[in-house]
Amino acid sequence: MLTIFCVLFVIFYLAFLVDWELFRGAFKQGAWVAIGINCLIAIGFFVAKANHVIGAAGGGHH
């Protein structure tokens, strides 16, 4: 459920909150690589934080 919520949030963010006209020039110059790296860092941070919270709550088994 958390994964679905995060995916929907990212879709909402990209669809409604990003000013694509402003970033179009940067994307043409290769900003996709920087965005990809930042997304990987964000995902890694989220996974590390989620694992910490699950571990602190007593494990991850049902």
Side-chain angles (χ1 to χ4, degrees), residues 25-41:
F27 290 147
K28 287 180 182 177
Q29 296 176 4
W32 290 107
V33 175
I35 290 172
I37 292 170
N38 283 317
C39 286
L40 289 175
I41 291 169

Side-chain angles (χ1 to χ4, degrees), residues 1-13:
M1 183 69 183
L2 183 61
T3 304
I4 293 170
F5 176 74
C6 289
V7 169
L8 290 176
F9 177 77
V10 169
I11 290 171
F12 174 80
Y13 176 77

